Amino acid sequence: MKFLSNRGQTMPPSPIRKLVPYADQAKERGVRVYHLNIGQPDIHTPNSFMDPIKNLQMDVLAYGPSAGLTSLRKKLAEYYNRFNIDVSYEDILVTTGGSEAIIFAMMAICDPGDEIIIPEPFYTNYNGFAVEAGVKIVPITSDIEDDFQLPPIESIAEKITDRTRGILICNPNNPTGYVYSKEELETLREIVLKNDLFLLSDEVYREFVYDGQTHTSIMHLEGLEDRTIMLDSVSKRYSACGARIGMIVSRNRQVIDACLRFGMARLCPPTIEQIGTEAGIDTPQEYFDRVIREYNDRRNVMVEMLRQMPGVVAPMPKGAFYLIVRLPVEDADKFAQWLLTDFNINKETVMLAPANGFYSTPGLGRDEVRIAYVLNVEAIKKAMNILAEGLKKYPGRTI
Amino acid sequence: MKFLSNRGQTMPPSPIRKLVPYADQAKERGVRVYHLNIGQPDIHTPNSFMDPIKNLQMDVLAYGPSAGLTSLRKKLAEYYNRFNIDVSYEDILVTTGGSEAIIFAMMAICDPGDEIIIPEPFYTNYNGFAVEAGVKIVPITSDIEDDFQLPPIESIAEKITDRTRGILICNPNNPTGYVYSKEELETLREIVLKNDLFLLSDEVYREFVYDGQTHTSIMHLEGLEDRTIMLDSVSKRYSACGARIGMIVSRNRQVIDACLRFGMARLCPPTIEQIGTEAGIDTPQEYFDRVIREYNDRRNVMVEMLRQMPGVVAPMPKGAFYLIVRLPVEDADKFAQWLLTDFNINKETVMLAPANGFYSTPGLGRDEVRIAYVLNVEAIKKAMNILAEGLKKYPGRTI
């Protein structure tokens, strides 16, 4: 009997999580593991989010509306308006995490076999969603030497076929930390209009930009009102990754209606976390100021220490809390595993995410890793020292 | 521009929810609507479930494991063991609602174009999941005149093609209330073994069986250990529909591994509701005894009153809290809408789910509705009186 579908067999394992068994084994041997592999911040979830959950007065934990609680959607419209994103609550659907937002958007605009262009490296789970939706991801390669900026317009244009349905960016970018400029977004606007495409943008790191930059949303682009689909999530914003609350935002009512039909099939997103999210939107600005300052410090310490390691290439990320780093090793996958299985300093080691899983083009990113600066400055200093020593000792090093 | 995919356009609207706008309009006119259209019980969620959520001590609402919290999976294994379902926690994945359990199982065993046989009428959202997964549902028709028992083995066998991957039942059944006997399950066992198929069973109403019957799970069937996939949810068990916590249970490790890969892409199910679920499993048996007694009373009152209405056919449901009823009308869809738009008694009316959306074969179920007995006995009496009067007054009645 052929037990599994091809889809079940070819689904790529997540590079963020596939080394977890080795980390677990290390922990069993008494080794402390600094987790820089996953975007799970150590930042406390604000009380504004958690308090209404603790104070819940609810006889029946009932289904909510498929589109999300109406009061939450109205509050979200207010939140977006603060960023000059002109939407009403009817342009917003609440989803079960940003993950579901991306799957619904892919399914609404793509039939199986249709294509979406994505700059690589990209958030690795896009691959999984594409397998589920039967969508073909067509990568355009951005380069570590150029800080992962948007590739030139010609290299995007040449990827467009009659199956292309849209271009998806992540801005600020996971995994590169790059923040697309207004000019780069204008370039995308031009391509999208010329070729009759959708422009999708995963903007879950909106707040996380450094060095006094401002973030431009695709929802700010003029003349694209019916072609833009913004994907969002509260996971990082309120350090509430376990809440599984995301959003689809689009002024194209047909897109919203199609996504809502998928939403009706799964009935509704989790009710309790929607209540937390609604209150979380009133989190005082000081919380974010403090959090952004903290990430900024972590970023500076990490990049400075990385750049002191011989053979390491570390572009300065402009946003989010990740960076892609080139290491002087042949196979970063093996190195990341080795750090967990064969290396420690005083019973401490570090877990990284091999970057090859963030590329779609085979062979790319083999000497790169994604590092998330989600630990405090002291922990980052320790982790970077461990990494520096590991690179010196690793038998597979190239310098 | 072709805005939507065919998938986005052909996704069927949910018959449970599509009349909601008419209900909302009725409410705006000051009409009270008795909601018998949706399986949203009025039963209180037990304190055992809600208390740990209110007492949450958690600094960071973090991602959990993709397979679900390990402590919850272990507790679930204990729960299943109580029903003589011999599984360990490694045979269990926690999903975001029973909905996700069904989608993951479909995707794990089916490639686009593959087929799953389902007795109709069936839970209408299976249609939506099938569209999402690109799976073709092949119905075998069960008959209201036979109380919706399993159709004869020949009518199942003749539906099997080289694309058939499995047979999916819902037991106890939503929407018919039928409970499959051990003998019927043995019949399915035979077909599955002979034709190299999976047997999937949605058993979310396990506790809800009446008249002293016992429920047989597909997990009790011998010789099918690697071919059975049980889908489950806490929504009805603990009246926690808004929690969105479900399960996939299978002793086929390949199936679990494939589903886990889909699970990794979406990272994890909601954390807070998993905590509630884990504690909910210790809900005292008295809670269920009381709840089952209550549903039993509701069922008896409802069926008795329905059977007094001229031209109404109402089989006695053996489990769950639904029944499919034949009404003396030509088009139950129009009748259900008329009840909301053109009828009320003393500013009260009733909302039903037209049953045609629960059938896959076009034209079937046109004179049937699904009724959920999720309101208390007094409300059910009032709702049944309203229905009886409505049937007398409805211009489209056939007797």
Side-chain angles (χ1 to χ4, degrees):
Chain A
M1 183 189 195
K2 184 191 82 168
F3 271 122
L4 295 185
S5 65
N6 293 322
R7 179 159 51 189
Q9 286 168 323
T10 59
M11 183 78 183
S14 166
I16 304 170
R17 298 208 161 198
K18 72 177 178 179
L19 296 178
V20 167
Y22 300 108
D24 289 344
Q25 288 163 21
K27 287 172 198 170
E28 278 165 27
R29 294 193 308 272
V31 175
R32 174 177 177 182
V33 177
Y34 291 97
H35 278 274
L36 302 177
N37 60 303
I38 189 164
Q40 172 57 61
D42 62 340
I43 303 287
H44 284 202
T45 312
N47 294 336
S48 50
F49 192 107
M50 295 300 282
D51 284 348
I53 293 173
K54 293 182 189 173
N55 297 325
L56 214 56
Q57 296 299 327
M58 184 182 265
D59 288 335
V60 183
L61 177 49
Y63 288 126
S66 296
L69 299 175
T70 307
S71 55
L72 170 57
R73 292 165 72 204
K74 289 184 174 169
K75 197 81 193 173
L76 283 164
E78 275 178 40
Y79 164 80
Y80 290 121
N81 294 345
R82 285 185 219 156
F83 294 88
N84 294 317
I85 293 171
D86 179 25
V87 290
S88 82
Y89 81 97
E90 292 177 299
D91 304 321
I92 302 168
L93 291 184
V94 181
T95 57
T96 308
S99 305
E100 191 180 73
I102 296 163
I103 295 179
F104 282 2
M106 281 186 175
M107 291 196 304
I109 64 168
C110 294
D111 279 311
D114 284 347
E115 299 168 4
I116 290 184
I117 293 172
I118 312 182
E120 68 180 351
F122 55 76
Y123 176 54
T124 177
N125 285 330
Y126 294 163
N127 274 319
F129 305 143
V131 168
E132 293 180 37
V135 168
K136 185 178 166 198
I137 291 180
V138 176
I140 46 168
T141 307
S142 67
D143 197 323
I144 194 169
E145 305 286 352
D146 299 325
D147 288 356
F148 297 109
Q149 67 184 9
L150 191 72
I153 187 164
E154 310 79 52
S155 71
I156 305 174
E158 72 186 21
K159 299 284 187 175
I160 294 173
T161 74
D162 58 353
R163 298 302 301 264
T164 308
R165 297 288 292 147
I167 300 173
L168 166 61
I169 60 169
C170 179
N171 185 31
N173 193 274
N174 171 8
T176 68
Y178 189 76
V179 177
Y180 292 102
S181 67
K182 186 139 201 292
E183 290 66 38
E184 287 172 303
L185 292 179
E186 296 288 353
T187 301
L188 291 173
R189 179 181 168 281
E190 196 181 309
I191 301 173
V192 161
L193 280 175
K194 188 172 165 196
N195 296 282
D196 225 6
L197 306 176
F198 282 101
L199 181 58
L200 302 93
S201 183
D202 174 345
E203 302 187 357
V204 309
Y205 298 96
R206 178 176 305 107
E207 278 84 356
F208 301 86
V209 291
Y210 312 111
D211 306 326
Q213 287 180 101
T214 49
H215 173 253
T216 305
S217 168
I218 57 164
M219 303 299 284
H220 294 136
L221 297 173
E222 279 175 36
L224 276 193
E225 286 72 12
D226 56 356
R227 293 168 185 279
T228 44
I229 307 174
M230 184 172 72
L231 298 326
D232 206 352
S233 158
V234 304
S235 291
K236 316 295 169 166
R237 188 167 307 141
Y238 310 111
S239 196
C241 297
R244 314 316 298 133
I245 299 295
M247 300 95 202
I248 298 173
V249 183
S250 178
R251 282 174 294 225
N252 182 325
R253 200 50 56 87
Q254 285 178 282
V255 168
I256 291 294
D257 286 350
C259 291
L260 180 57
R261 289 189 181 195
F262 299 120
M264 282 183 174
R266 62 75 167 117
L267 298 166
C268 66
T271 299
I272 293 176
E273 280 89 347
Q274 288 188 77
I275 292 168
T277 299
E278 187 174 332
I281 293 172
D282 284 328
T283 302
Q285 185 56 35
E286 298 87 76
Y287 172 87
F288 294 103
D289 293 344
R290 192 163 41 79
V291 169
I292 303 306
R293 230 174 11 244
E294 172 67 24
Y295 278 118
N296 184 59
D297 292 347
R298 294 172 178 192
R299 175 190 71 146
N300 292 344
V301 166
M302 181 175 269
V303 171
E304 194 188 323
M305 290 184 76
L306 282 166
R307 288 180 172 176
Q308 284 166 10
M309 299 178 205
V312 168
V313 177
M316 178 64 79
K318 299 175 176 180
F321 39 68
Y322 308 95
L323 69 168
I324 291 277
V325 178
R326 179 172 290 162
L327 299 179
V329 301
E330 232 169 58
D331 185 336
D333 212 331
K334 286 185 186 156
F335 174 64
Q337 187 173 324
W338 177 86
L339 284 173
L340 295 169
T341 53
D342 288 84
F343 184 73
N344 71 76
I345 297 183
N346 301 325
K347 293 272 179 192
E348 294 190 329
T349 193
V350 61
M351 186 168 178
L352 310 170
N356 59 341
F358 293 84
Y359 287 86
S360 185
T361 305
L364 290 186
R366 279 197 65 193
D367 57 356
E368 298 173 6
V369 291
R370 187 193 74 167
I371 305 183
Y373 39 104
V374 289
L375 304 180
N376 65 43
V377 168
E378 283 318 299
I380 283 179
K381 283 182 182 168
K382 283 185 189 166
M384 289 300 102
N385 281 326
I386 293 165
L387 176 60
E389 284 306 303
L391 283 172
K392 282 182 202 161
K393 300 266 166 61
Y394 181 56
R397 68 191 176 280
T398 54
I399 59 167
Chain B
M1 182 189 194
K2 185 190 82 168
F3 271 122
L4 295 185
S5 65
N6 292 323
R7 179 159 53 188
Q9 285 169 323
T10 60
M11 184 78 186
S14 166
I16 303 170
R17 298 208 161 197
K18 71 178 179 178
L19 296 178
V20 166
Y22 300 108
D24 288 343
Q25 287 162 24
K27 288 172 198 170
E28 278 165 28
R29 294 193 308 274
V31 175
R32 174 177 177 182
V33 178
Y34 291 97
H35 278 275
L36 301 177
N37 59 303
I38 189 163
Q40 172 56 62
D42 61 341
I43 303 287
H44 284 202
T45 312
N47 293 337
S48 50
F49 192 107
M50 295 301 281
D51 284 347
I53 293 173
K54 293 182 189 173
N55 298 325
L56 213 55
Q57 296 299 327
M58 184 182 264
D59 288 336
V60 183
L61 177 49
Y63 288 126
S66 297
L69 299 176
T70 307
S71 54
L72 170 57
R73 292 164 73 204
K74 290 184 174 169
K75 197 82 193 171
L76 283 164
E78 275 178 40
Y79 164 80
Y80 291 121
N81 294 344
R82 284 184 219 157
F83 294 88
N84 295 316
I85 293 171
D86 179 26
V87 289
S88 81
Y89 81 97
E90 292 176 298
D91 304 321
I92 302 167
L93 291 184
V94 182
T95 57
T96 307
S99 305
E100 191 181 73
I102 296 163
I103 294 179
F104 281 2
M106 281 186 175
M107 291 196 303
I109 64 168
C110 293
D111 280 311
D114 284 347
E115 298 168 3
I116 290 185
I117 292 172
I118 312 182
E120 66 179 355
F122 55 78
Y123 175 55
T124 176
N125 285 331
Y126 294 164
N127 274 319
F129 306 144
V131 169
E132 293 181 35
V135 168
K136 185 179 166 196
I137 292 180
V138 176
I140 46 169
T141 308
S142 67
D143 198 324
I144 194 168
E145 306 285 352
D146 300 325
D147 289 355
F148 298 108
Q149 69 184 8
L150 191 71
I153 186 164
E154 311 80 53
S155 71
I156 305 175
E158 72 186 21
K159 299 284 187 176
I160 293 172
T161 74
D162 58 354
R163 297 303 301 264
T164 309
R165 297 287 293 148
I167 300 173
L168 167 61
I169 59 169
C170 179
N171 185 31
N173 193 275
N174 171 8
T176 68
Y178 189 76
V179 177
Y180 292 102
S181 67
K182 185 139 202 296
E183 291 65 38
E184 287 173 303
L185 292 180
E186 296 289 352
T187 301
L188 290 173
R189 178 182 169 280
E190 197 180 310
I191 301 173
V192 162
L193 280 175
K194 189 172 166 196
N195 297 282
D196 225 6
L197 306 176
F198 281 101
L199 182 57
L200 301 93
S201 184
D202 174 345
E203 302 187 355
V204 309
Y205 298 96
R206 179 177 304 108
E207 277 84 356
F208 301 86
V209 291
Y210 312 111
D211 307 326
Q213 287 180 103
T214 49
H215 173 252
T216 306
S217 168
I218 57 163
M219 303 300 284
H220 293 137
L221 297 172
E222 277 174 38
L224 275 193
E225 286 73 14
D226 57 354
R227 292 167 186 278
T228 43
I229 307 175
M230 183 173 73
L231 297 325
D232 206 352
S233 159
V234 304
S235 291
K236 316 296 169 168
R237 189 167 305 142
Y238 309 112
S239 195
C241 297
R244 314 316 298 132
I245 299 294
M247 299 95 202
I248 298 172
V249 184
S250 179
R251 282 173 294 226
N252 182 323
R253 199 52 55 88
Q254 286 178 281
V255 168
I256 292 293
D257 286 350
C259 291
L260 180 56
R261 288 188 181 197
F262 298 120
M264 282 183 175
R266 61 75 167 119
L267 298 167
C268 67
T271 298
I272 292 177
E273 280 90 347
Q274 288 188 80
I275 292 168
T277 299
E278 187 174 333
I281 293 171
D282 284 329
T283 302
Q285 185 56 36
E286 298 88 77
Y287 172 88
F288 295 103
D289 293 345
R290 191 162 42 77
V291 169
I292 303 306
R293 224 166 25 239
E294 172 67 24
Y295 278 118
N296 184 59
D297 292 347
R298 294 172 178 191
R299 176 191 70 146
N300 292 343
V301 166
M302 182 175 269
V303 171
E304 195 188 322
M305 291 184 75
L306 283 167
R307 287 179 172 176
Q308 285 166 9
M309 299 177 204
V312 167
V313 178
M316 178 64 78
K318 299 175 175 181
F321 38 69
Y322 308 95
L323 68 167
I324 292 277
V325 179
R326 178 171 291 163
L327 300 180
V329 300
E330 234 169 58
D331 185 335
D333 212 331
K334 286 186 187 155
F335 174 64
Q337 187 174 325
W338 177 85
L339 284 173
L340 295 169
T341 52
D342 288 84
F343 183 72
N344 70 76
I345 296 182
N346 302 326
K347 293 272 179 194
E348 294 191 329
T349 192
V350 61
M351 184 168 180
L352 310 171
N356 59 342
F358 294 83
Y359 287 85
S360 185
T361 304
L364 290 186
R366 278 196 65 192
D367 58 355
E368 297 173 5
V369 291
R370 187 193 74 166
I371 304 183
Y373 40 103
V374 288
L375 303 180
N376 65 44
V377 168
E378 284 317 299
I380 283 178
K381 284 182 182 167
K382 282 185 187 166
M384 289 300 102
N385 281 328
I386 293 166
L387 176 60
E389 284 307 303
L391 284 172
K392 283 182 203 160
K393 301 266 167 60
Y394 181 56
R397 67 191 177 281
T398 54
I399 59 166

Short mmCIF file of all heavy atoms in Angstrom, two decimals, chain A residues 9 26 35 84 99 106 108 114 147 160 162 178 184 223 225 235 251 257 280 304 312 333 335 345 347 354 360 386:
data_model
loop_
_atom_site.label_atom_id
_atom_site.label_comp_id
_atom_site.label_asym_id
_atom_site.label_seq_id
_atom_site.Cartn_x
_atom_site.Cartn_y
_atom_site.Cartn_z
N GLN A 9 4.56 13.28 1.42
CA GLN A 9 5.96 12.87 1.44
C GLN A 9 6.92 14.01 1.12
O GLN A 9 8.04 14.03 1.60
CB GLN A 9 6.18 11.73 0.42
CG GLN A 9 5.61 10.41 0.91
CD GLN A 9 5.56 9.38 -0.20
OE1 GLN A 9 5.29 9.69 -1.35
NE2 GLN A 9 5.83 8.13 0.15
N ALA A 26 20.96 17.21 23.48
CA ALA A 26 21.98 18.01 24.18
C ALA A 26 21.49 18.37 25.58
O ALA A 26 22.22 18.25 26.56
CB ALA A 26 22.29 19.27 23.37
N HIS A 35 18.84 29.34 22.18
CA HIS A 35 18.00 29.17 20.99
C HIS A 35 17.98 30.43 20.15
O HIS A 35 17.22 31.36 20.42
CB HIS A 35 16.57 28.81 21.40
CG HIS A 35 16.40 27.35 21.71
ND1 HIS A 35 16.13 26.43 20.73
CD2 HIS A 35 16.50 26.66 22.86
CE1 HIS A 35 16.04 25.22 21.29
NE2 HIS A 35 16.27 25.34 22.58
N ASN A 84 -1.38 55.25 8.98
CA ASN A 84 -1.87 55.81 7.71
C ASN A 84 -2.25 54.73 6.70
O ASN A 84 -2.10 54.92 5.49
CB ASN A 84 -0.84 56.75 7.08
CG ASN A 84 -0.63 57.98 7.94
OD1 ASN A 84 -1.60 58.55 8.44
ND2 ASN A 84 0.63 58.34 8.16
N SER A 99 0.12 32.34 9.55
CA SER A 99 0.21 31.17 8.68
C SER A 99 -1.06 30.99 7.87
O SER A 99 -1.04 30.83 6.66
CB SER A 99 0.44 29.90 9.51
OG SER A 99 1.56 30.05 10.35
N MET A 106 -3.07 32.66 -0.64
CA MET A 106 -2.57 31.86 -1.77
C MET A 106 -3.71 31.12 -2.45
O MET A 106 -3.80 31.10 -3.68
CB MET A 106 -1.55 30.82 -1.27
CG MET A 106 -0.15 31.36 -1.02
SD MET A 106 0.95 29.96 -0.62
CE MET A 106 2.55 30.80 -0.51
N ALA A 108 -6.89 31.82 -2.43
CA ALA A 108 -7.89 32.70 -3.03
C ALA A 108 -7.47 33.17 -4.41
O ALA A 108 -8.30 33.35 -5.29
CB ALA A 108 -8.15 33.91 -2.13
N ASP A 114 -0.48 27.37 -10.29
CA ASP A 114 -0.18 28.80 -10.46
C ASP A 114 1.09 29.16 -9.68
O ASP A 114 1.52 28.43 -8.79
CB ASP A 114 -1.36 29.65 -9.97
CG ASP A 114 -2.52 29.67 -10.97
OD1 ASP A 114 -2.33 29.23 -12.12
OD2 ASP A 114 -3.63 30.12 -10.59
N ASP A 147 23.29 43.31 0.82
CA ASP A 147 22.41 43.42 1.99
C ASP A 147 21.01 42.89 1.73
O ASP A 147 20.07 43.26 2.43
CB ASP A 147 22.29 44.89 2.46
CG ASP A 147 23.57 45.38 3.11
OD1 ASP A 147 24.52 44.57 3.24
OD2 ASP A 147 23.63 46.57 3.46
N ILE A 160 8.26 36.18 -14.89
CA ILE A 160 6.80 36.21 -15.03
C ILE A 160 6.34 35.35 -16.20
O ILE A 160 6.87 35.47 -17.31
CB ILE A 160 6.31 37.67 -15.18
CG1 ILE A 160 6.60 38.42 -13.87
CG2 ILE A 160 4.82 37.72 -15.51
CD1 ILE A 160 6.32 39.90 -13.93
N ASP A 162 2.62 33.03 -17.79
CA ASP A 162 1.16 33.18 -17.79
C ASP A 162 0.51 32.50 -16.59
O ASP A 162 -0.70 32.58 -16.40
CB ASP A 162 0.55 32.68 -19.11
CG ASP A 162 0.89 31.23 -19.38
OD1 ASP A 162 1.71 30.66 -18.61
OD2 ASP A 162 0.37 30.67 -20.36
N TYR A 178 16.11 42.83 6.12
CA TYR A 178 16.07 43.95 5.18
C TYR A 178 14.71 44.66 5.25
O TYR A 178 13.68 44.03 5.48
CB TYR A 178 16.32 43.45 3.75
CG TYR A 178 16.52 44.58 2.76
CD1 TYR A 178 17.73 45.29 2.72
CD2 TYR A 178 15.50 44.96 1.90
CE1 TYR A 178 17.90 46.34 1.82
CE2 TYR A 178 15.67 46.01 1.01
CZ TYR A 178 16.87 46.70 0.97
OH TYR A 178 17.04 47.74 0.09
N GLU A 184 11.79 50.86 -3.81
CA GLU A 184 11.69 49.45 -4.18
C GLU A 184 10.23 49.02 -4.31
O GLU A 184 9.86 48.28 -5.23
CB GLU A 184 12.42 48.57 -3.16
CG GLU A 184 13.95 48.70 -3.26
CD GLU A 184 14.67 47.98 -2.13
OE1 GLU A 184 14.40 48.29 -0.96
OE2 GLU A 184 15.51 47.12 -2.42
N GLY A 223 -2.99 53.45 -6.45
CA GLY A 223 -3.37 52.77 -7.69
C GLY A 223 -3.32 51.25 -7.60
O GLY A 223 -3.51 50.56 -8.58
N GLU A 225 -5.04 49.62 -5.02
CA GLU A 225 -6.01 49.30 -3.97
C GLU A 225 -6.61 47.90 -4.13
O GLU A 225 -6.83 47.19 -3.15
CB GLU A 225 -7.13 50.35 -3.94
CG GLU A 225 -6.72 51.68 -3.34
CD GLU A 225 -5.79 52.51 -4.23
OE1 GLU A 225 -5.63 52.16 -5.42
OE2 GLU A 225 -5.20 53.47 -3.73
N SER A 235 1.87 37.80 16.68
CA SER A 235 2.85 36.96 17.38
C SER A 235 4.05 37.74 17.89
O SER A 235 4.47 37.60 19.04
CB SER A 235 3.35 35.85 16.45
OG SER A 235 2.32 34.93 16.19
N ARG A 251 -8.27 45.74 0.32
CA ARG A 251 -9.42 46.54 -0.09
C ARG A 251 -10.12 45.93 -1.30
O ARG A 251 -11.07 46.50 -1.81
CB ARG A 251 -8.97 47.98 -0.35
CG ARG A 251 -8.79 48.73 0.98
CD ARG A 251 -8.20 50.10 0.78
NE ARG A 251 -6.84 50.00 0.28
CZ ARG A 251 -5.81 50.70 0.74
NH1 ARG A 251 -5.98 51.58 1.72
NH2 ARG A 251 -4.61 50.56 0.24
N ASP A 257 -13.88 38.20 0.38
CA ASP A 257 -15.00 37.26 0.35
C ASP A 257 -14.52 35.82 0.13
O ASP A 257 -15.03 34.89 0.76
CB ASP A 257 -16.01 37.64 -0.74
CG ASP A 257 -16.83 38.86 -0.34
OD1 ASP A 257 -16.75 39.27 0.83
OD2 ASP A 257 -17.53 39.42 -1.21
N GLY A 280 -4.86 44.09 23.62
CA GLY A 280 -3.44 44.33 23.37
C GLY A 280 -3.18 45.52 22.47
O GLY A 280 -2.13 46.17 22.55
N GLU A 304 28.25 43.32 15.76
CA GLU A 304 29.64 43.69 16.04
C GLU A 304 30.47 42.45 16.35
O GLU A 304 31.58 42.28 15.83
CB GLU A 304 29.67 44.66 17.23
CG GLU A 304 31.00 45.36 17.38
CD GLU A 304 31.07 46.17 18.68
OE1 GLU A 304 30.03 46.77 19.05
OE2 GLU A 304 32.14 46.19 19.30
N VAL A 312 33.46 35.62 8.59
CA VAL A 312 32.00 35.76 8.73
C VAL A 312 31.53 37.02 8.00
O VAL A 312 32.13 38.08 8.14
CB VAL A 312 31.61 35.82 10.22
CG1 VAL A 312 30.15 36.25 10.38
CG2 VAL A 312 31.84 34.46 10.88
N ASP A 333 24.41 23.40 7.56
CA ASP A 333 23.49 22.43 8.12
C ASP A 333 24.25 21.49 9.06
O ASP A 333 23.87 21.26 10.23
CB ASP A 333 22.87 21.63 6.96
CG ASP A 333 21.46 21.19 7.24
OD1 ASP A 333 21.12 20.99 8.42
OD2 ASP A 333 20.69 21.04 6.27
N PHE A 335 27.23 22.02 10.31
CA PHE A 335 27.83 22.80 11.40
C PHE A 335 26.82 23.03 12.52
O PHE A 335 27.12 22.86 13.70
CB PHE A 335 28.35 24.14 10.85
CG PHE A 335 28.87 25.06 11.91
CD1 PHE A 335 29.98 24.73 12.69
CD2 PHE A 335 28.24 26.29 12.15
CE1 PHE A 335 30.45 25.60 13.67
CE2 PHE A 335 28.71 27.15 13.14
CZ PHE A 335 29.82 26.80 13.90
N ILE A 345 30.78 24.66 25.36
CA ILE A 345 31.78 25.32 26.22
C ILE A 345 31.16 25.41 27.60
O ILE A 345 30.11 26.05 27.76
CB ILE A 345 32.13 26.73 25.71
CG1 ILE A 345 32.79 26.63 24.33
CG2 ILE A 345 33.06 27.44 26.69
CD1 ILE A 345 33.23 27.96 23.77
N LYS A 347 29.45 23.32 29.15
CA LYS A 347 28.07 22.81 29.09
C LYS A 347 27.09 23.82 28.51
O LYS A 347 25.91 23.88 28.91
CB LYS A 347 27.60 22.37 30.50
CG LYS A 347 28.33 21.17 31.06
CD LYS A 347 27.65 19.90 30.61
CE LYS A 347 28.34 18.65 31.11
NZ LYS A 347 27.82 17.45 30.42
N PRO A 354 19.93 26.52 9.86
CA PRO A 354 20.65 26.49 8.58
C PRO A 354 19.85 27.25 7.52
O PRO A 354 18.63 27.10 7.45
CB PRO A 354 20.71 25.00 8.23
CG PRO A 354 20.36 24.27 9.49
CD PRO A 354 19.54 25.19 10.32
N SER A 360 14.92 28.71 -2.21
CA SER A 360 14.19 27.78 -3.04
C SER A 360 15.11 27.19 -4.11
O SER A 360 14.96 26.04 -4.50
CB SER A 360 13.00 28.52 -3.66
OG SER A 360 12.18 27.67 -4.37
N ILE A 386 30.44 31.49 22.12
CA ILE A 386 30.39 30.05 21.84
C ILE A 386 30.50 29.81 20.34
O ILE A 386 31.24 28.93 19.88
CB ILE A 386 29.06 29.44 22.39
CG1 ILE A 386 29.08 29.50 23.92
CG2 ILE A 386 28.87 28.01 21.89
CD1 ILE A 386 27.71 29.26 24.56
#
